[in-house]
Amino acid sequence: VQLQASGGGSVQAGDSLRLSCAVSGLIFKSYTAAWFRQAPGKEREFVAAITWSGGSTYYSNSVKGRFTISRDNAKNLVYLQMTSLKPDETAAYYCACGSDGLTVRVSGYLYWGQGTQVTVSS
């Protein structure tokens, strides 16, 4: 199983960025997909999740209304569209797949990507 996250970069506060995660080695459409982030010295935190069908999504309060998670099961891709980025959202962003539904728990996800760095400057 491989999850390959991409799309990170360095942006200014207020900018937008779209992350992608390519999934292989599993039946992608059978799994919930999610994004987490981890800043240096901090715990990994939940950002957003989407059910296998894409019919339901869930966001952390801090990103609700600014970030959008979506997926393309035909292409085995999951996306995170981020807008109005803030400096304190600088972190490595990780995609994950699991079968526990829309959970915010790190332990609820079986498979993880390697992370893509997002740096937001003021």
Side-chain angles (χ1 to χ4, degrees):
V1 176
Q2 283 194 324
L3 285 73
Q4 183 73 39
S6 62
S10 296
V11 297
Q12 298 286 319
D15 283 352
S16 299
L17 207 57
R18 188 176 84 155
L19 306 182
S20 299
C21 178
V23 181
S24 61
L26 53 74
I27 304 175
F28 179 60
K29 64 181 180 181
S30 298
Y31 290 85
T32 295
W35 289 94
F36 286 73
R37 64 189 179 191
Q38 188 168 19
K42 295 189 176 181
E43 292 186 352
R44 191 165 297 189
E45 68 167 342
F46 171 81
V47 175
I50 186 167
T51 53
W52 66 272
S53 67
S56 295
T57 56
Y58 186 72
Y59 297 91
S60 69
N61 287 336
S62 62
V63 307
K64 197 176 298 182
R66 297 186 298 117
F67 289 14
T68 303
I69 188 171
S70 61
R71 66 190 294 162
D72 184 336
N73 285 345
K75 297 181 179 179
N76 284 13
L77 290 167
V78 59
Y79 304 101
L80 185 67
Q81 177 68 50
M82 306 184 292
T83 64
S84 302
L85 281 160
K86 305 174 183 179
D88 63 1
E89 293 179 314
T90 293
Y93 283 70
Y94 297 87
C95 55
C97 288
S99 54
D100 280 2
L102 294 175
T103 179
V104 303
R105 296 178 293 110
V106 170
S107 61
Y109 296 89
L110 298 170
Y111 305 106
W112 292 83
Q114 86 291 357
T116 185
Q117 180 67 34
V118 173
T119 302
V120 186
S121 57
S122 57

